[in-house]
Amino acid sequence: MYIIVKYGKNESLICNPSCSAVNLLDSIKRRAGFANQNVSLDLSDDTGLVKELDMHKLDYASKYLISHSTYILVEKQLIPEDEDNMSGMDGGSSTPVPPQYNYLPKLENAQNLFPNFKLRVDELQKKNKRRTNSGAKSPSPAGRVGSKSRIKRNNSKPKK
């Protein structure tokens, strides 16, 4: 299993995604020449969909990447908070605002090489990640087990 990572002036890296996402990203960072820079890197597919591997550091990268596919190296930059939003709160509410990121392709002329390339994050995918056991069966009803045991106890009472 392998993937191709494009960066720079149409340079390529062949990588094995059968490892944790953090190890794959560290290897790509070192091999692409960003080891001594304080940058956060990620991958996007050829349409620009960012894979957000840094959100799944301990998962196998192959869970989120397709073998024999080409991916574009992108830099993940934290967007500074507004002065109105310095406390990390949205307006007057008590819910914290999640950090916002900007993504920049590390591949020169990405639009020319990949005509459908438009960097974006899949918001729907984030919402669906909360449901982990969607295919699992639900447990048996709680009352059913108790009612059977009551029936047995009623039948087992000694007669006078």
Side-chain angles (χ1 to χ4, degrees):
M1 177 171 198
Y2 70 90
I3 60 168
I4 299 170
V5 178
K6 296 285 210 173
Y7 69 100
K9 295 181 179 178
N10 203 16
E11 297 177 59
S12 300
L13 289 175
I14 295 178
C15 301
N16 181 356
S18 297
C19 61
S20 65
V22 68
N23 288 343
L24 177 66
L25 290 173
D26 284 345
S27 172
I28 292 170
K29 185 175 181 178
R30 182 178 34 81
R31 293 169 58 197
F34 297 102
N36 296 332
Q37 298 177 21
N38 189 19
V39 294
S40 179
L41 299 176
D42 208 333
L43 298 176
S44 74
D45 63 13
D46 57 358
T47 66
L49 179 63
V50 177
K51 296 300 178 177
E52 296 187 300
L53 293 175
D54 60 336
M55 303 297 285
H56 312 283
K57 290 181 180 184
L58 300 179
D59 290 344
Y60 268 71
S62 56
K63 183 176 177 181
Y64 304 99
L65 304 173
I66 300 169
S67 181
H68 300 85
S69 294
T70 300
Y71 294 93
I72 292 92
L73 189 62
V74 295
E75 181 180 348
K76 184 177 183 178
Q77 297 177 337
L78 181 66
I79 298 174
E81 295 180 19
D82 297 343
E83 297 213 7
D84 299 336
N85 232 357
M86 286 186 71
S87 64
M89 304 292 173
D90 185 14
S93 71
S94 61
T95 43
V97 176
Q100 299 292 317
Y101 297 99
N102 188 26
Y103 295 93
L104 299 171
K106 298 308 257 178
L107 174 65
E108 295 178 16
N109 300 320
Q111 284 285 356
N112 295 340
L113 297 168
F114 300 97
N116 297 329
F117 186 77
K118 182 181 178 186
L119 276 175
R120 67 195 187 287
V121 177
D122 190 7
E123 295 296 328
L124 180 62
Q125 183 180 8
K126 283 184 179 179
K127 291 178 185 174
N128 287 340
K129 289 289 181 190
R130 284 184 251 157
R131 296 187 69 191
T132 56
N133 293 334
S134 59
K137 291 183 179 181
S138 62
S140 63
R144 178 177 274 178
V145 175
S147 63
K148 286 181 181 178
S149 62
R150 269 189 260 135
I151 292 170
K152 288 179 183 176
R153 274 187 255 139
N154 290 340
N155 290 344
S156 64
K157 285 184 180 179
K159 294 182 181 179
K160 292 183 183 179

